């Protein structure tokens, strides 16, 4: 095996090689704006209202935050971005950005057709190995919530609790859940046939148990000898390191490959608020250090069992990303081991993505696409998480400014 190259996330030349000066200046303007809390607050309040009222704001959104974080309004538009990323050995995870099927059964059916179209399309592209799905795109939120609550009231293993919860549903809802399973099954079947990985996103704790059970059942069916389906594990939850270990035990027992996309988790405030309002203990770690500790222990566990776990390091945390490369090195494994992949959201942390790609890692950008009105919730989350100057925005801005200076100095 070749020695591992030295990886530095400070190399802005590699990080932004794919961006012209004009694009980089636009990104500087956007991140500087997102570092202005009152501006973000105003945007967050006004944008959904302006879209609903039919005000002509789409052009403004398309040219600013949309073009930074989204691949396009249609699947075909993402091809331009994917091609560009491919030139730098960066792959793409297609993320059809419609969140929550508010249109009922008809909407779920349409979403299923659209996801199958995404898989068929991904299979024709040289650098689109995965697509992501949200179970809320195929199932009524209230039904997931009901199943989750029933599972909590039951005892035994996750699977026993799940089967009992379904058994206890009234006939009509049993059939409704059956339709959800068929939709997810069709997606996984198509993905398996086309050799495209399916990443199931993790959502709020009050709907997550049926999502986990369904995903594990899909892994049991499709992950024999190779990994098609991946579950997402949120390490900001106090119980998820154990859940990762239990999932591994199930995979060993049933002889399937565990697909594990490790994240810290995106709904911290919402989770804490709900727990406080309803008077149950918060499922979230007490502090950032605890989330970091469990995340990194999760990485250790996955690399330790890499023969049976296909790991996706889905994070913008520089330490965690680098630590995963170190763990491989310690085990004498190559950076391009087929069971490890790294991923960051499009529009963020190019310094991590492009430097990992340069070192020979298998790495991708999570690339959402969809009509502007449908990706607004996703964009709002990006704007919110980028508001903190201490956090990612500060880091992005510093790197962009550093690269612009480097270019103007002709270094
Ligand atoms: C490719 C990709 C896919 C993703 N998919 C999902 C998904 O399916 N579901 C999902 O929920 N999220 C998903 N995320 C988002 C992810 O969960 C994080 O919100 C985001 O990436 C920030 O965490 P980080 O690891 O990048 O690093 P950091 O910036 O180091 O960590 C920030 C995170 O740490 C945690 N944290 C911060 N403060 C505290 C505190 N006081 N106490 C406890 N924990 C704290 C929170 O989770 C916060 O988001 C995805 C991210 C990526 C890059």
């Amino acid at each position: 095996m070749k020695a591992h190259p030295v990886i530095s996330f400070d190399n802005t030349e590699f990080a932004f090689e794919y961006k012209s000066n004009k694009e980089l200046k636009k990104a500087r303007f956007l991140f500087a704006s997102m570092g202005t809390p009152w501006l973000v607050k105003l945007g967050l309040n006004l944008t959904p209202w302006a879209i609903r009222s039919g005000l002509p704001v789409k052009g403004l959104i398309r040219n600013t935050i949309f073009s930074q974080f989204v691949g396009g309004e249609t699947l075909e538009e993402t091809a331009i971005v994917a091609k560009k990323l491919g030139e730098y050995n960066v792959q793409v995870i297609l993320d059809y950005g419609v969140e929550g099927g508010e249109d009922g059964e008809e909407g779920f059916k349409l979403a299923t057709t659209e996801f199958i179209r995404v898989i068929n399309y991904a299979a024709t592209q040289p650098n689109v190995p995965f697509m992501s799905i949200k179970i809320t795109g195929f199932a009524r939120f209230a039904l997931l919530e009901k199943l989750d609550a029933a599972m909590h009231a039951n005892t035994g293993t996750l699977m026993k609790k799940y089967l009992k919860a379904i058994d206890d549903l009234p006939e009509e809802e049993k059939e409704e859940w059956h339709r959800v399973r068929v939709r997810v099954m069709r997606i996984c079947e198509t993905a398996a046939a086309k050799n495209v990985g399916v990443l199931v996103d993790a959502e709020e704790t009050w709907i997550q148990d049926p999502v986990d059970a369904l995903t594990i059942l899909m892994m049991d069916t499709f992950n024999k000898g190779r990994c098609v389906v991946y579950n997402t594990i949120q390490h900001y939850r106090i119980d998820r390191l154990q859940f990762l270990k239990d999932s591994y035990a199930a995979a060993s027992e049933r002889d399937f490959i565990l697909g594990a996309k490790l994240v810290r988790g995106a709904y911290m405030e919402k989770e804490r608020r709900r727990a406080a309002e309803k008077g149950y203990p918060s499922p979230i770690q007490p502090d950032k250090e605890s989330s970091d500790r469990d995340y990194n222990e999760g990485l250790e566990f996955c690399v330790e069992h890499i023969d049976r776990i296909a790991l996706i390091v889905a994070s913008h945390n520089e330490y965690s990303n680098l630590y995963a490369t170190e763990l491989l090195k310690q085990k004498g494994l190559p950076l391009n081991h087929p069971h490890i992949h790294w991923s960051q959201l499009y529009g963020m942390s190019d310094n991590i993505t492009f430097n990992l790609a340069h070192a020979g890692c298998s790495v991708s950008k999570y690339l959402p696409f969809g009509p502007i009105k449908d990706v607004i919730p996703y964009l709002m989350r990006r704007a919110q998480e980028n508001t903190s100057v201490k956090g990612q925005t500060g880091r992005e801005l510093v790197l962009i400014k550093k690269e612009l200076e480097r270019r103007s100095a002709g270094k």
Side-chain angles (χ1 to χ4, degrees):
M1 193 189 75
K2 275 198 307 191
H4 280 201
V6 176
I7 303 173
S8 162
F9 294 144
D10 292 330
N11 185 321
T12 58
E13 186 181 355
F14 292 158
F16 298 115
E17 215 176 347
Y18 78 113
K19 278 201 191 291
S20 66
N21 284 345
K22 193 173 161 208
E23 287 166 333
L24 214 48
K25 283 179 186 161
K26 202 167 136 186
R28 178 179 63 184
F29 171 75
L30 191 71
F31 280 107
S33 308
M34 286 192 297
T36 315
W38 68 264
L39 200 61
V40 173
K41 208 167 168 196
L42 192 72
L44 290 175
N45 288 327
L46 286 185
T47 310
W49 170 80
I51 298 237
R52 270 198 312 276
S53 315
L55 291 179
V57 288
K58 283 193 181 168
L60 179 68
I61 297 171
R62 186 180 292 112
N63 282 319
T64 52
I65 190 162
F66 184 89
S67 63
Q68 178 69 25
F69 295 113
V70 181
E73 289 206 70
T74 62
L75 186 52
E76 291 68 26
E77 274 176 32
T78 63
I80 303 161
V81 180
K83 185 166 179 288
K84 180 88 157 274
L85 296 174
E87 286 165 19
Y88 301 89
N89 295 324
V90 172
Q91 298 166 297
V92 163
I93 298 176
L94 282 175
D95 176 25
Y96 177 43
V98 176
E99 298 191 359
E102 279 165 27
D103 307 317
E105 291 286 309
E106 226 17 68
F108 301 144
K109 256 196 235 164
L110 283 176
T112 311
T113 312
E114 181 63 11
F115 277 96
I116 289 178
R117 195 169 82 88
V118 174
I119 297 168
N120 287 327
Y121 173 81
T124 64
Q125 301 301 301
N127 67 327
V128 188
F130 306 105
M131 51 96 73
S132 77
I133 64 169
K134 274 192 163 48
I135 298 298
T136 40
F138 313 105
R140 189 164 53 89
F141 196 93
L143 179 59
L144 287 166
E145 220 174 348
K146 184 171 177 178
L147 276 173
D148 189 276
M151 286 174 74
H152 275 266
N154 295 338
T155 51
T157 61
L158 181 80
M159 230 27 94
K160 277 202 183 117
K161 291 194 271 188
Y162 169 73
L163 294 174
K164 168 105 177 53
I166 294 174
D167 228 30
D168 291 345
L169 285 176
E171 215 40 53
E172 213 173 286
E173 287 185 328
K174 238 182 233 166
E175 280 167 25
E176 187 183 345
W177 183 249
H178 176 70
R179 289 194 295 276
V180 174
R181 278 195 351 242
V182 170
R183 286 176 199 124
V184 176
M185 183 70 123
R186 277 183 60 207
I187 287 175
C188 295
E189 247 165 25
T190 315
K194 296 286 167 124
N195 220 5
V196 174
V198 176
L199 316 185
V200 181
D201 279 0
E203 306 192 49
E204 293 88 348
T205 43
W206 51 99
I207 59 162
Q208 190 60 36
D209 277 8
V211 171
D212 286 331
L214 185 58
T215 309
I216 291 172
L217 286 174
M218 293 299 140
M219 289 201 268
D220 189 28
T221 308
F222 295 102
N223 288 9
K224 303 284 187 203
R226 64 172 174 150
C227 196
V228 175
V229 182
Y230 294 73
N231 200 10
T232 301
I233 303 177
Q234 298 160 313
H235 287 276
Y236 70 177
R237 284 182 57 171
I238 45 181
D239 60 348
R240 289 293 98 168
L241 192 54
Q242 189 54 47
F243 174 71
L244 171 66
K245 294 177 182 173
D246 293 344
S247 301
Y248 169 75
S252 304
E253 199 184 307
R254 303 270 318 161
D255 195 20
F256 64 84
I257 304 284
L258 174 67
K261 174 184 139 211
L262 302 198
V263 299
R264 281 181 171 74
Y267 309 102
M268 185 173 74
E269 280 88 13
K270 208 172 167 185
E271 291 281 357
R272 284 184 171 154
R273 205 170 42 240
R274 186 177 191 268
E277 274 166 19
K278 298 205 176 248
Y280 60 85
S282 169
I284 305 299
Q285 307 272 11
D287 47 40
K288 172 84 163 64
E289 290 68 34
S290 309
S291 296
D292 291 347
R293 181 203 58 225
D294 275 15
Y295 189 92
N296 296 328
E297 278 186 33
L299 293 179
E300 287 166 17
F301 185 82
C302 291
V303 174
E304 191 53 42
H305 300 95
I306 202 152
D307 289 346
R308 186 167 293 284
I309 302 181
L311 164 66
I312 299 185
V313 185
S315 172
H316 298 137
N317 183 291
E318 293 186 6
Y319 179 83
S320 294
N321 278 289
L322 207 54
Y323 188 48
T325 68
E326 281 299 318
L327 289 169
L328 291 175
K329 193 170 168 180
Q330 283 166 21
K331 276 203 94 185
L333 296 169
L335 287 176
N336 63 354
H337 188 286
H339 272 186
I340 185 163
H341 181 82
W342 285 260
S343 188
Q344 288 77 43
L345 305 183
Y346 180 64
M348 287 172 72
S349 299
D350 286 344
N351 63 317
I352 297 178
T353 315
F354 286 80
N355 281 301
L356 285 174
H358 204 263
C361 298
S362 170
V363 59
S364 65
K365 285 293 195 193
Y366 225 63
L367 189 66
F369 70 95
I372 291 186
K373 69 171 180 27
D374 291 336
V375 295
I376 289 292
Y378 178 86
L379 289 177
M380 305 253 268
R381 277 211 300 285
R382 298 293 76 79
Q384 261 160 345
E385 82 188 7
N386 279 297
T387 316
S388 153
V389 179
K390 276 195 284 154
Q392 197 60 33
T393 313
R395 180 83 176 124
E396 300 284 352
L397 253 184
V398 167
L399 291 166
I400 293 168
K401 284 181 183 164
K402 182 178 160 199
E403 175 59 9
L404 282 168
E405 275 164 27
R406 190 194 68 79
R407 288 185 190 181
S408 67
K411 282 187 223 159

